[in-house]
Amino acid sequence: MAPTSGAQGGASQRRVSASMSARTSSSDALLASDALPAPPRSRACQGGVGTVDSAVVGSHAAAASASEADESITARRLRVFAISDVHSDFSENMAWVDALPLEENTTDVLIVAGDVSDHALTLQGTLKRFRARFSDVFFTPGNHDLWDEKSSIEKLQRVRDMCRECDIHTLPKWFALPNTSRRLFVVPILSWYHASFDTEPDIDHLASVLPRVQNAMTDFRACQWPSGEQRELNALDESLATYFDALNDAWIRDDDSHYESWTALEDMLNGSDDPLISFSHFLPRIELIPEKRFLFYPHLPKAVGSTFLGDRVVRLTSKRSSAEKRHVHVFGHTHFAWDSTLDDSIRYVQSALCYPSERKQRWGSIAMPRLEHAPVLLFDSDLKDGGGGGGFVGEMPARWSEHYRRTRRDPSNLELAPYVSAMWERRKQRHEQQ
């Protein structure tokens, strides 16, 4: 029973409304400012490989997926799109999903990098809608998807079972590329954040008014993890992050696919120059979030990423040369548009739909080509040399990654941006008056 676009009615709707209210206190922490000047229009904005034209938006449909058993050369065009943080509890976001056209005879693939809905029926309904529009859909859960009053671990298993029933991929899969013997790999990676991921200096002069991360983030109330003598999982230490990281090995080992283990997958990928798209919900590197002085909630980096995830991402192509890397990693969670290649020669992309209020208030830090109307195009087999190389779309304009192309990251600079400083000065004054 998939929900219709918009409200779900009765008790379910009251629950969704309550969960959205609960989100409000923590979602403010995800906001950075649009105070940075808009980046100059790049060639990607002006047309060519970085631009998704109207034909891209109108060609998502159900079709037979590329068979992993068939290694023959195919002549069918393959495109891969990506989206994260769909948050389809909001009627405006579900309407965005429903507006994607239903067309036939396509091999388009969609990556959904977590945070669809904390409500199970809405999550299922949204993924089914995507599956009706794309030949293959990949998904890995985000923090919102695992909110549960009783057990987030049990919910994770229910989400996995639901994905199997709905033909949604949660494990690696490859696709034959047209008119060549090469393949494109898509690899989902499970993860959770841990506080030690944040290795950059804290802004100590805000200590008196800055709430602790466990008080600021809704996850610490909305997720229920095992706690006791046999097992205790906690996002403040590394136990929860290592638990989720180990699930990657367990899930691929338990599956009936031809990957014997995660190590075997790494060996396969490192032994070829086949292009790879890996994806997670959380951040694999600290450099993928603005410096703390730009964040309204400077403790946010303690609840966004995983070094275990980062190590796993790198290992997938660590033995390749930089020229042969051809590796794009998609992530979500922080609600900042991003597209940059870092020193490990891996390209990192975030294309988040975000909350409707964020799209209205700070579209400049969310905007990606055509994101208002469709998921972002990452790979097109018709692109012979698309700036990104061998089918990958060239790097796309995104405000914060454009900023760090021009300006060296300096986490030791703890001077708050003016808009952040003004907000916390007001809070300090209120705190002192109480």
Side-chain angles (χ1 to χ4, degrees):
M1 294 175 59
T4 58
S5 174
Q8 299 176 41
S12 296
Q13 178 58 34
R14 288 193 295 274
R15 183 184 180 280
V16 171
S17 299
S19 70
M20 288 194 290
S21 297
R23 271 195 289 266
T24 303
S25 61
S26 62
S27 65
D28 289 343
L30 298 178
L31 302 180
S33 174
D34 282 345
L36 284 175
R41 289 176 61 83
S42 66
R43 283 177 294 178
C45 278
Q46 297 165 355
V49 298
T51 300
V52 184
D53 61 23
S54 59
V56 168
V57 179
S59 62
H60 314 308
S65 63
S67 170
E68 291 193 307
D70 181 9
E71 297 190 29
S72 61
I73 295 176
T74 176
R76 302 200 69 185
R77 182 184 189 184
L78 176 67
R79 296 187 298 185
V80 181
F81 298 79
I83 192 70
S84 73
D85 302 276
V86 178
H87 294 293
S88 53
D89 300 293
F90 295 90
S91 59
E92 298 97 320
N93 287 14
M94 187 67 89
W96 181 93
V97 176
D98 285 331
L100 297 175
L102 285 163
E103 295 184 7
E104 296 181 354
N105 302 321
T106 183
T107 53
D108 289 347
V109 174
L110 177 66
I111 289 169
V112 183
D115 271 12
V116 172
S117 174
D118 61 286
H119 191 276
L121 289 178
T122 306
L123 171 60
Q124 181 183 49
T126 307
L127 291 177
K128 281 185 174 181
R129 284 166 163 81
F130 283 136
R131 184 63 184 85
R133 291 159 170 82
F134 292 83
S135 66
D136 288 83
V137 176
F138 289 80
F139 174 68
T140 193
N143 48 313
H144 283 247
D145 305 309
L146 298 186
W147 287 4
D148 192 78
E149 296 176 354
K150 295 182 179 179
S151 171
S152 294
I153 295 296
E154 292 179 6
K155 187 173 185 182
L156 174 62
Q157 184 59 52
R158 294 196 301 272
V159 168
R160 184 189 185 194
D161 292 342
M162 179 271 291
C163 287
R164 285 172 169 167
E165 293 169 2
C166 298
D167 194 24
I168 305 296
H169 304 302
T170 59
L171 289 168
K173 180 181 173 69
W174 60 260
F175 299 87
L177 294 176
N179 304 314
T180 175
S181 59
R182 298 174 70 218
R183 300 171 293 181
L184 170 71
F185 285 79
V186 180
V187 178
I189 306 179
L190 287 160
S191 59
W192 200 269
Y193 56 79
H194 57 96
S196 58
F197 174 79
D198 175 19
T199 55
E200 297 183 342
D202 284 331
I203 299 178
D204 291 332
H205 60 273
L206 289 179
S208 63
V209 292
L210 199 63
R212 295 183 300 173
V213 67
Q214 59 267 43
N215 296 329
M217 304 299 293
T218 304
D219 297 342
F220 287 86
R221 300 184 298 277
C223 292
Q224 301 299 321
W225 307 111
S227 178
E229 294 182 1
Q230 292 185 335
R231 176 188 291 166
E232 184 166 352
L233 300 181
N234 191 329
L236 291 175
D237 59 30
E238 297 180 351
S239 58
L240 195 53
T242 56
Y243 174 84
F244 269 79
D245 185 63
L247 285 178
N248 291 291
D249 301 287
W251 281 22
I252 201 170
R253 189 171 56 245
D254 294 343
D255 186 59
D256 294 330
S257 72
H258 57 267
Y259 306 109
E260 295 179 0
S261 66
W262 188 273
T263 301
L265 174 65
E266 290 178 1
D267 291 342
M268 181 188 303
L269 289 168
N270 277 295
S272 75
D273 64 351
D274 289 325
L276 164 67
I277 302 175
S278 60
F279 74 98
S280 59
H281 179 65
F282 299 105
L283 278 59
R285 292 192 53 161
I286 192 69
E287 297 91 342
L288 301 174
I289 187 172
E291 296 149 88
K292 292 177 182 178
R293 61 195 177 100
F294 292 123
L295 299 172
F296 283 126
Y297 181 58
H299 279 343
L300 183 62
K302 301 181 189 305
V304 298
S306 166
T307 55
F308 308 101
L309 164 65
D311 291 343
R312 194 173 287 268
V313 170
V314 168
R315 289 201 310 269
L316 289 171
T317 51
S318 60
K319 296 179 183 177
R320 298 188 190 183
S321 69
S322 296
E324 295 176 333
K325 196 75 74 174
R326 296 187 181 89
H327 182 177
V328 172
H329 183 82
V330 177
F331 63 99
H333 188 53
T334 50
H335 295 200
F336 297 119
W338 210 282
D339 192 349
S340 64
T341 300
L342 298 185
D343 51 24
D344 54 18
S345 300
I346 298 171
R347 178 179 168 190
Y348 296 91
V349 177
Q350 178 172 195
S351 55
L353 184 60
C354 306
Y355 304 129
S357 60
E358 291 178 302
R359 294 198 299 278
K360 293 174 183 176
Q361 296 167 9
R362 60 180 194 94
W363 175 246
S365 58
I366 297 170
M368 296 282 276
R370 302 300 300 180
L371 179 60
E372 283 185 280
H373 307 291
V376 168
L377 177 66
L378 289 180
F379 183 92
D380 185 346
S381 60
D382 278 5
L383 292 174
K384 303 306 179 185
D385 185 10
F392 283 111
V393 168
E395 285 193 2
M396 296 169 283
R399 174 168 290 183
W400 279 102
S401 50
E402 289 279 346
H403 170 72
Y404 285 112
R405 285 192 190 100
R406 300 189 303 268
T407 305
R408 186 177 67 87
R409 186 181 183 89
D410 181 14
S412 65
N413 183 352
L414 302 181
E415 182 179 352
L416 297 176
Y419 56 89
V420 178
S421 178
M423 185 195 75
W424 285 106
E425 281 301 320
R426 290 193 297 270
R427 293 199 179 189
K428 273 187 177 181
Q429 292 174 8
R430 289 198 298 268
H431 179 76
E432 291 170 358
Q433 292 171 358
Q434 292 176 353

